[in-house]
Amino acid sequence: MASMTMIQALNSAMDVMLGLDPDVLIFGEDVGYFGGVFRVTDGLQKKHGLTRCFDTPIGEAGIVGVAIGMGAYGLRPIVEIQFADYIYPAYDQLVSEAARLRFRSAGDFTAPITVRTPYGGGIFGGQTHSQSPEALFTHVAGLTTVVPSTPYDAKGLLISAVESNDPIIFLEPKRIYNGPFDGHHDRPVTPWSRHPASEVPEGYYTVPLGKAAVVRAGEAATILVYGAMVHVALAAVEDSGIDAEVIDLRTLVPVDIEAITASVKKTGRCVIVHEATRTSGFGAELSALVQEHCFYHLEAPIERVAGWDTPYPHAFEWDYFPGPARVAAALRRVTEG
Amino acid sequence: MKNSRALSLHVPEPRTRPGDAPDFSGVDVSRPGAVPRPDIATDPREIRDLAYGLIRVLDDHGEAVGPWDPRLDADVLLAGLKAMMLTRAYDDRMYRAQRQGKTSFFMKSRGEEAVAVAQAMALDRDDMCFPTYRQQGLLIARGYPLIQMMNQVYSNERDPMKGRQLPSMYSSRETGFFSISGNLGTQFSQAVGWAMASAYKGDTRIASGWIGDGATAEADFHHALTFASVYRAPVILNIVNNQWAISSFQGLAGGEATTFAARAIGYGLPALRVDGNDFLAVHAATAWAAERARANLGATVIELFTYRAESHSTSDDPSRYRPADEAERWPLGDPVARLAQHLTVLGCWSQERQAAQQKALDDLVRAAQREAEAVPALGSKSSSRVTDMFDDVYAETPWHLRQQARELEG
């Protein structure tokens, strides 16, 4: 065991997989010699060789198209899209190609590729370095969308993603790369080393895809959340003093419906939290699922706390970011009735 | 200085439209045998002229001339002719089947048979092809069973794609034929990725991708050439310039200003521009590019200059946008007739043999068609489970798809 940041844990996952499987290779913009703009692939080229971790031209559609061809050959490429905000040029390759290849060829060809990309706000990145586009992928049949919230999960989920025979969208909440930021932007940032989930095995292990985690047990309400907002939700529970259960979904599709229903049936109240814009966000799907599966157990309307339906505003970051105060207010609303 | 003249917008238009006499005076046809054949190791910068010429081997009399003559044995030529004729017979039969309401859609490759067949024959059997929807000749030349192609077109219970794909969108890993998308251009960068994977693994196989003149305007084309050049991928990047993208002539993809082969120059890739209706020229150019890729010298772009002799698909009516007799007037002739003429000149073909082979192939296609039509079509009345549609969305079917399958079953 070692204490790792999320960056180190992700790096360790790729280091382990490069060591175990010669068919794993990594490429993306600036990921090779330099080790990536967030240092997630730092040292991997030096350790494993030039062809195992290399730089690409600035062409996201090309990066993903090439990865699909490699996947069809039988490799397991891990590609980095430098910011999730830059993934749109690759959207056609992801939606029309990677996601459907197994289906359209009846299993003749598959695309076992992992697309890693830093996402989310809170770093003053403006509208092109802050977006949370997960719903654009959760809507696509054939894609699996994964979002870790701790170093331990990040490594275990990434190894599962690389071993998966399906294309995986692996969204890395960059605001918590270096510490479990809880939305209190006016307070000093706690480092990962003080968080129990920063204890990460140095070798191989997996965290299963499609399984949520109960990160805090509670009775008064259920918070469905993922990524950086897990820590915001925990802060809101503490700030409000409301004994809410916090479910970290970890995989959005396929979502762990059993964990969701077990918790909401127990608490009868549900708050859904994400940083992405509200309209047609993944919270809408979660809200519908809770309604379909738990309607007769609900004692209050489902609440959604999300980013406003605007582009990400640079100077008004903390007015946009759904922080602990907004989550706490939603918790109070669902528990008042 | 102030601008005094009003600007005007140029929208390209073909020379002729329905009712006009076809006009191919703009087509620059070089003399057969005139284009030099460089060594495969030549620096691409020294052979840029090839992007503007037209490699031709067969002359008007059916003689093979010049440095690009691949000097193929007669039995190879006969096999090529047979595969092209079979492709055409298959296309004709399936087109008719669509008109008879037996399938929803079909795409013929008439006039472009040499592109797929000669290229398949110039490649190794285990080289990987990333085709568009008009290279069914690859499958036929590689001996993929006709009945399987028909099962796919009919979406019947033996359809290898289980009724999931539009007719004509074949896939066969075993035959080295990548699943056709229907989205234009996406396969081009995937071909480069496959080739990079082969190089990464120290394999000996190469990849070959195809794209139409129209789809060279897609960003995937640029990505494919960029990545192929940067990583010296062992891949052949074929542009099938058949003059038409549905109703849009090649000028709308930039063909007025330069050749499609010349696109390669900006990427530092060698380009060959080839008479796509000349079986020998197509074979020779492909073999040159394949040899170059196998020598670890990287990618080659080939423009196959040809003509889409029929409609884009069964849903299209070219009489609405181009002169009706353009195909017959195409200055580079018909690939099947030209190879047959060459074989006749060589003394190993005749009109009688042509007629006998035509009949034998028609019979073969008819027999396969009967067999395919005896298989029940997929759909609510077929015996296979409709809930198979939920398979293969993921490697393991997740709970929400299992739930939806139960809902469908009622």
Side-chain angles (χ1 to χ4, degrees):
Chain A
M1 287 288 217
S3 176
M4 295 189 197
T5 66
M6 187 178 280
I7 288 170
Q8 291 164 333
L10 292 163
N11 183 281
S12 174
M14 288 186 277
D15 184 24
V16 165
M17 292 315 291
L18 286 168
L20 286 177
D21 186 350
D23 290 340
V24 170
L25 75 170
I26 298 164
F27 51 96
E29 295 155 16
D30 302 302
V31 305
Y33 186 87
F34 179 56
V37 295
F38 289 102
R39 324 298 308 144
V40 180
T41 54
D42 191 28
L44 296 178
Q45 183 183 81
K46 192 173 181 194
K47 180 172 174 184
H48 296 277
L50 188 61
T51 63
R52 305 294 307 280
C53 178
F54 57 86
D55 293 323
T56 63
I58 304 171
E60 292 78 13
I63 292 169
V64 175
V66 160
I68 292 167
M70 288 182 170
Y73 178 95
L75 303 185
R76 293 185 176 276
I78 306 169
V79 301
E80 177 177 305
I81 301 297
Q82 198 161 76
F83 287 86
D85 314 66
Y86 303 166
I87 208 166
Y88 309 122
Y91 199 58
D92 187 36
Q93 286 284 355
L94 289 167
V95 174
S96 310
E97 301 296 314
R100 300 188 203 146
L101 186 54
R102 175 189 299 280
F103 180 83
R104 81 175 192 223
S105 69
D108 204 20
F109 292 97
T110 59
I113 67 172
T114 301
V115 180
R116 292 182 39 244
T117 186
Y119 94 112
I123 62 153
F124 279 97
Q127 47 95 29
T128 53
H129 301 80
S130 306
Q131 295 166 65
S132 297
E134 65 269 23
L136 298 177
F137 301 105
T138 59
H139 190 57
V140 178
L143 294 180
T144 298
T145 304
V146 179
V147 191
S149 70
T150 67
Y152 182 90
D153 282 357
K155 178 172 175 181
L157 287 166
L158 184 54
I159 291 176
S160 290
V162 175
E163 291 186 327
S164 168
N165 292 320
D166 289 318
I168 310 284
I169 306 296
F170 196 90
L171 298 168
E172 301 172 2
K174 58 183 172 291
R175 186 60 184 85
I176 58 169
Y177 265 157
N178 288 304
F181 173 71
D182 67 2
H184 286 298
H185 57 93
D186 45 353
R187 298 181 194 167
V189 182
T190 357
W192 273 116
S193 55
R194 281 191 232 150
H195 193 286
S198 71
E199 282 299 309
V200 176
E202 285 169 82
Y204 172 94
Y205 69 94
T206 59
V207 170
L209 304 179
K211 289 283 173 204
V214 179
V215 294
R216 184 193 186 280
E219 300 295 327
T222 297
I223 305 179
L224 301 179
V225 64
Y226 47 92
M229 301 309 288
V230 169
H231 306 282
V232 173
L234 289 168
V237 169
E238 195 172 313
D239 295 352
S240 66
I242 294 170
D243 179 29
E245 184 148 293
V246 179
I247 308 283
D248 176 0
L249 297 174
R250 302 198 291 195
T251 300
L252 306 190
V253 173
V255 78
D256 187 348
I257 191 67
E258 286 172 14
I260 293 171
T261 50
S263 180
V264 176
K265 283 181 178 175
K266 179 177 76 172
T267 64
R269 298 161 202 274
C270 183
V271 174
I272 296 161
V273 182
H274 60 59
E275 196 184 322
T277 48
R278 178 185 174 105
T279 300
S280 299
F282 190 62
E285 179 62 31
L286 290 171
S287 176
L289 286 173
V290 169
Q291 187 276 134
E292 286 162 8
H293 290 260
C294 312
F295 181 78
Y296 294 108
H297 294 79
L298 286 173
E299 295 181 43
I302 301 163
E303 283 275 342
R304 277 188 289 167
V305 181
W308 308 120
D309 285 335
T310 70
Y312 211 99
H314 183 252
F316 302 101
E317 179 126 54
W318 303 121
D319 304 286
Y320 181 89
F321 190 92
R326 283 181 58 202
V327 178
L331 272 178
R332 281 191 285 273
R333 285 194 296 275
V334 295
T335 50
E336 267 165 11
Chain B
M1 204 171 86
K2 198 172 182 293
N3 274 338
S4 53
R5 217 195 298 175
L7 297 166
S8 63
L9 178 69
H10 172 66
V11 178
E13 269 288 275
R15 285 165 181 263
T16 54
R17 286 295 192 186
D20 298 335
D23 174 7
F24 290 117
S25 59
V27 174
D28 185 16
V29 178
S30 65
R31 184 171 49 80
V35 174
R37 184 184 186 279
D39 185 84
I40 55 158
T42 310
D43 186 326
R45 282 171 288 202
E46 291 171 24
I47 52 171
R48 287 176 181 162
D49 285 358
L50 293 182
Y52 303 99
L54 195 68
I55 296 169
R56 304 181 70 205
V57 174
L58 289 171
D59 68 13
D60 291 347
H61 311 293
E63 302 275 2
V65 296
W68 284 94
D69 177 6
R71 299 176 191 280
L72 299 172
D73 290 343
D75 58 339
V76 175
L77 298 178
L78 288 166
L81 181 67
K82 189 174 176 185
M84 287 200 292
M85 288 176 68
L86 182 55
T87 304
R88 187 168 293 186
Y90 166 78
D91 279 357
D92 287 344
R93 203 74 208 165
M94 290 297 94
Y95 184 89
R96 217 168 320 168
Q98 193 277 341
R99 287 296 186 250
Q100 291 166 342
K102 293 173 178 173
T103 181
S104 61
F105 183 82
F106 190 72
M107 306 183 89
K108 300 178 81 169
S109 62
R110 190 183 190 87
E112 301 173 43
E113 292 92 342
V115 170
V117 171
Q119 296 205 278
M121 292 178 70
L123 294 168
D124 280 354
R125 177 62 171 70
D126 55 1
D127 290 333
M128 187 69 195
C129 299
F130 287 78
T132 77
Y133 40 66
R134 223 179 295 281
Q135 280 85 49
Q136 52 264 55
L138 292 170
L139 285 171
I140 288 174
R142 283 184 166 179
Y144 185 72
L146 273 190
I147 178 78
Q148 288 291 73
M149 297 173 73
M150 290 178 175
N151 289 337
Q152 197 280 330
V153 169
Y154 285 127
S155 292
N156 69 23
E157 289 186 359
R158 290 194 204 144
D159 172 5
M161 259 99 268
K162 300 185 179 175
R164 294 171 185 164
Q165 273 277 50
L166 191 65
S168 306
M169 307 288 160
Y170 318 98
S171 171
S172 175
R173 170 187 280 275
E174 194 283 316
T175 316
F177 188 96
F178 187 72
S179 159
I180 296 171
S181 171
N183 267 31
L184 297 187
T186 46
Q187 75 283 357
F188 228 42
S189 56
Q190 293 164 3
V192 175
W194 196 98
M196 287 171 66
S198 188
Y200 168 84
K201 292 294 281 183
D203 198 341
T204 57
R205 295 174 293 164
I206 64 169
S208 187
W210 283 262
I211 199 167
D213 48 286
T216 62
E218 292 281 5
D220 293 289
F221 175 80
H222 164 68
H223 291 127
L225 269 65
T226 301
F227 281 71
S229 171
V230 168
Y231 300 106
R232 292 191 199 157
V235 63
I236 306 174
L237 295 170
N238 301 291
I239 305 163
V240 184
N241 176 6
N242 68 7
Q243 315 302 319
W244 291 94
I246 306 185
S247 74
S248 301
F249 85 118
Q250 43 79 30
L252 274 164
E256 274 186 344
T258 185
T259 69
F260 290 96
R263 300 272 188 270
I265 293 170
Y267 299 88
L269 294 173
L272 306 178
R273 191 161 177 269
V274 184
D275 175 353
N277 291 13
D278 178 339
F279 183 92
L280 297 181
V282 173
H283 193 289
T286 308
W288 188 90
E291 195 188 337
R292 199 172 167 278
R294 282 186 226 289
N296 228 18
L297 294 167
T300 299
V301 173
I302 302 179
E303 176 182 349
L304 298 133
F305 193 70
T306 181
Y307 185 84
R308 194 194 78 209
E310 299 220 13
S311 56
H312 164 71
S313 73
T314 48
S315 306
D316 176 38
D317 175 9
S319 72
R320 298 180 64 131
Y321 52 80
R322 68 183 191 188
D325 55 344
E326 255 197 8
E328 295 96 87
R329 305 279 292 278
W330 178 243
L332 297 170
D334 173 79
V336 174
R338 286 176 68 192
L339 185 57
Q341 182 195 23
H342 177 57
L343 281 161
T344 306
V345 168
L346 291 179
C348 39
W349 202 241
S350 63
Q351 281 185 350
E352 293 71 36
R353 287 188 69 179
Q354 173 93 12
Q357 176 155 293
Q358 185 68 56
K359 185 179 180 312
L361 295 175
D362 285 343
D363 289 348
L364 191 75
V365 171
R366 253 196 299 273
Q369 187 188 23
R370 269 196 300 275
E371 198 182 332
E373 288 180 3
V375 181
L378 288 171
S380 54
K381 284 176 188 161
S382 72
S383 59
S384 45
R385 296 178 318 129
V386 67
T387 50
D388 285 353
M389 80 164 83
F390 295 97
D391 297 343
D392 299 321
V393 179
Y394 293 92
E396 287 168 36
T397 306
W399 72 269
H400 60 289
L401 290 181
R402 291 198 305 272
Q403 187 188 63
Q404 288 166 28
R406 284 194 298 274
E407 233 177 89
L408 173 63
E409 280 180 320

